[in-house]
Amino acid sequence: MLQFRVSPNLLSILLIQAAALVAAALAMNALGGIFPFLPGPTHIVEEGAQLLIRPEILQDFGVTLLEASFGLLIAAGIGISLGLVIGSSAALVSFANPLILALYSVPKIVFLPILMLIFGTGMGPKIANAAVHAAFPILLNTLVATRDTTVRHEKLGQSLCMTRLQFATKILLPGIVPPVFGAIRLGVGLSFMGALLAELFQSEAGVGHLVHDLYNSGNIAGMLAIILAVLVIIVSLNGIMAAVENRFSRWREI
Amino acid sequence: MSVSVSIENVSKTFGVPGTEFVAIKQADAQIQPGEFVSILGPSGCGKSTLLDMVAGLATPSRGTVSIHGQPVTGPDERMAMVFQQMSLLPWRTIQANVEFGLEVRGVGEAQRRRTAREMIDLVGLNGFEEKYPSQLSGGMNQRVAIARALALDPEILLMDEPFGALDEQTRRIMGIELLRIWDKSGKTIVFVTHSISEAIQLSDRILLMSSRPSTIREIIDVPLARPRSIEDLSSETARDIELRVWKVLLEETGAK
């Protein structure tokens, strides 16, 4: 069972966050005076309430959620296994590190045309783009954690005559769980970003497509409402992941 | 009684020919069963390397280390190691950490639990079985590391600066605790340290190493009564030993 504790500290944080939201809404109102094309918060909420009950719009969210999820799954699979393999060898780390860091610092969107050439249209390139976006932090964190854990506990393993399999299952895998989980959490937002970017570029469905349509039809309030909904989804997913993470690594608390 | 650990004509060279460097040039020592021996020397002199060779974690380039006359070819069950700080597995409880070595060796769960409880009791951590390392102090964590090693019931306990990260007071108290445990268990202990006072507090003999390329420069007896009181440790005998060690160390490091 998941347990949530609400401490006074958490409460004050929530209050401050609520206050920040109100301030943002007021700021938008004020900005609306300067830029007349910017809709006010009430307008956005009204428009959102109308849009977000329409089945075809919910379907768009479903498409993006699906793309992001598959992308994250692929990113986790590739990132974790590659990170484990590379991180297990000091030589491989020094060989691969500059390559990974170079790729890491490139805006991933530049790979989208290539992905579209490979996967065509439809969900394929969106999933691939989501995976490309989420894979790097997962790969890097797995790699670094694998190296750290191996180096730290190498002598323990040797002195106990542990087999490679024993070392992997009893030391390495449990040792890398927290940083890898943290990276997957980062990957949630990144995979959404990847899917949305690909949709904005070219799509027939999905939230990116929807935002593009709303913009083209001049429904700025609707567009902003959809963007807000995306933010809410990402923040909620992050919260759920954090709760699961805490549940499985109670030893890190205190 | 036969010699427990015998270090004969041991040297250790690192690197490939051409760019190699000699870590240990020549080391010879005999350690008796039940003896408490410290390895002391200037930093970087290869104390841990020497210990690793005794443990079978490193192979001498020349010479042999043997246990009861049998050459060491790799880690074996007669030895257990206690490492520097942070060697516990943070995701395991204290109980599970102490059981770890036994688990790896395939000891059954009931036996494992019993042995671990005994060892936790021996190091004075009753009531902390279900805590995690992050919930305990540095000194307590090192008690757990000692319990983990003792649970394997080794004949020889190899300790690599186990109290190096602790503050002076905790370190002194851990030393007293270690001597109590040593007295009860009758193990042979080889203890690497860079603290002169710790070596005097604990050891029967001190292997004093020179700087690199190192040799065992002197083997110093510590003829203080046991258990050692705080008065014994500031007696004239203790101060003479400290002075002698300091003179060698300063000479070795070139600081006069």
Side-chain angles (χ1 to χ4, degrees):
Chain A
M1 279 300 291
L2 295 179
Q3 284 183 352
F4 294 96
R5 275 178 307 172
V6 179
S7 63
N9 194 20
L10 184 58
L11 216 95
S12 57
I13 291 173
L14 283 173
L15 277 175
I16 293 170
Q17 286 172 336
L21 269 181
V22 172
L26 289 175
M28 277 194 83
N29 256 340
L31 275 177
I34 308 168
F35 305 107
F37 52 83
L38 272 186
T42 32
H43 189 189
I44 294 173
V45 172
E46 278 167 14
E47 197 62 43
Q50 279 177 25
L51 283 174
L52 290 170
I53 47 164
R54 281 167 38 194
E56 72 268 26
I57 290 200
L58 293 180
Q59 211 174 343
D60 276 325
F61 274 92
V63 166
T64 305
L65 203 62
L66 206 65
E67 291 164 352
S69 310
F70 270 121
L72 184 60
L73 220 63
I74 293 168
I78 293 176
I80 294 172
S81 38
L82 213 57
L84 275 169
V85 170
I86 298 173
S88 293
S89 143
L92 273 180
V93 169
S94 46
F95 168 77
N97 236 358
L99 292 174
I100 296 170
L101 285 175
L103 283 175
Y104 186 55
S105 49
V106 173
K108 257 52 83 191
I109 191 73
V110 300
F111 301 117
L112 184 57
I114 305 168
L115 297 176
M116 286 172 68
L117 280 178
I118 299 172
F119 296 103
T121 55
M123 282 169 95
K126 283 83 178 177
I127 293 173
N129 200 45
V132 168
H133 275 77
F136 280 91
I138 298 175
L139 169 61
L140 273 175
N141 270 28
T142 310
L143 191 157
V144 171
T146 302
R147 195 87 288 264
D148 282 353
T149 310
T150 305
V151 169
R152 175 166 300 164
H153 298 295
E154 206 168 28
K155 278 192 179 180
L156 175 67
Q158 288 170 357
S159 73
L160 291 173
C161 303
M162 290 177 87
T163 61
R164 285 180 76 94
L165 184 68
Q166 278 178 323
F167 190 82
T169 54
K170 288 184 186 296
I171 293 183
L172 184 56
L173 292 180
I176 68 168
V177 166
V180 170
F181 213 99
I184 292 176
R185 231 174 92 191
L186 272 178
V188 172
L190 289 172
S191 63
F192 257 90
M193 186 169 119
L196 278 171
L197 278 172
E199 285 171 358
L200 281 171
F201 210 75
Q202 179 281 321
S203 58
E204 307 82 40
V207 177
H209 177 74
L210 180 62
V211 166
H212 199 252
D213 268 2
L214 289 167
Y215 174 77
N216 280 341
S217 59
N219 187 352
I220 304 301
M223 183 187 84
L224 288 173
I226 299 298
I227 292 173
L228 270 178
V230 170
L231 284 182
V232 169
I233 290 173
I234 292 176
V235 170
S236 317
L237 285 176
N238 218 331
I240 292 169
M241 298 279 288
V244 174
E245 194 179 350
N246 278 336
R247 173 73 197 153
F248 285 104
S249 49
R250 266 183 313 178
W251 53 270
R252 284 197 309 162
E253 290 175 32
I254 304 149
Chain B
M1 265 181 141
S2 72
V3 174
S4 181
V5 181
S6 172
I7 301 167
E8 281 168 273
N9 198 24
V10 163
S11 74
K12 180 71 181 173
T13 308
F14 286 106
V16 289
T19 60
E20 63 202 347
F21 83 96
V22 181
I24 296 171
K25 194 168 72 181
Q26 168 84 32
D28 286 280
Q30 316 271 312
I31 297 166
Q32 306 303 321
E35 202 178 10
F36 197 127
V37 170
S38 290
I39 302 175
L40 182 66
S43 52
C45 74
K47 303 183 283 280
S48 295
T49 307
L50 186 59
L51 193 75
D52 282 354
M53 288 192 286
V54 174
L57 298 180
T59 323
S61 307
R62 199 160 42 76
T64 46
V65 174
S66 32
I67 309 288
H68 292 302
Q70 285 171 273
V72 173
T73 52
D76 75 49
E77 302 204 348
R78 289 170 300 180
M79 297 179 279
M81 288 196 90
V82 179
F83 302 95
Q84 298 175 15
Q85 211 82 19
M86 308 284 287
S87 76
L88 297 180
L89 304 175
W91 57 89
R92 284 178 165 244
T93 60
I94 301 313
Q95 172 83 27
N97 261 294
V98 176
E99 284 183 26
F100 187 69
L102 298 169
E103 192 182 310
V104 170
R105 288 198 182 158
V107 175
E109 200 183 329
Q111 175 67 43
R112 225 158 64 199
R113 302 216 120 236
R114 203 165 341 115
T115 310
R117 297 242 174 223
E118 274 170 37
M119 293 307 135
I120 289 171
D121 186 45
L122 179 65
V123 300
L125 285 179
N126 265 326
F128 290 94
E129 288 86 352
E130 297 312 313
K131 299 275 185 208
Y132 289 92
S134 62
Q135 294 171 286
L136 269 55
S137 68
M140 287 161 111
N141 273 322
Q142 286 311 84
R143 286 172 197 249
V144 179
I146 293 170
R148 177 173 71 184
L150 286 175
L152 297 165
D153 194 24
E155 191 187 315
I156 303 158
L157 201 57
L158 305 173
M159 307 182 80
D160 189 2
E161 295 194 37
F163 311 142
L166 304 178
D167 63 84
E168 196 190 341
Q169 292 168 27
T170 311
R171 177 188 275 232
R172 180 53 66 93
I173 291 159
M174 289 298 294
I176 295 169
E177 279 292 288
L178 178 60
L179 288 178
R180 181 182 60 78
I181 293 164
W182 172 64
D183 193 45
K184 266 196 182 174
S185 65
K187 311 279 180 206
T188 307
I189 297 185
V190 185
F191 189 100
V192 167
T193 180
H194 57 253
S195 161
I196 300 170
S197 57
E198 190 174 54
I200 295 172
Q201 181 199 2
L202 301 174
S203 330
D204 291 321
R205 288 189 300 154
I206 299 170
L207 308 184
L208 187 56
M209 293 178 78
S210 70
S211 48
R212 224 175 49 217
S214 14
T215 57
I216 294 179
R217 224 187 104 151
E218 276 187 58
I219 297 181
I220 299 172
D221 277 309
V222 185
L224 297 172
R226 289 194 191 269
R228 287 171 185 173
S229 65
I230 208 79
E231 287 81 11
D232 292 331
L233 296 177
S234 45
S235 65
E236 202 164 328
T237 320
R239 272 185 288 128
D240 283 349
I241 295 169
E242 186 173 348
L243 198 66
R244 192 168 144 202
V245 173
W246 264 122
K247 278 184 177 160
V248 172
L249 287 181
L250 291 182
E251 198 186 306
E252 284 298 332
T253 50
K256 289 280 161 61

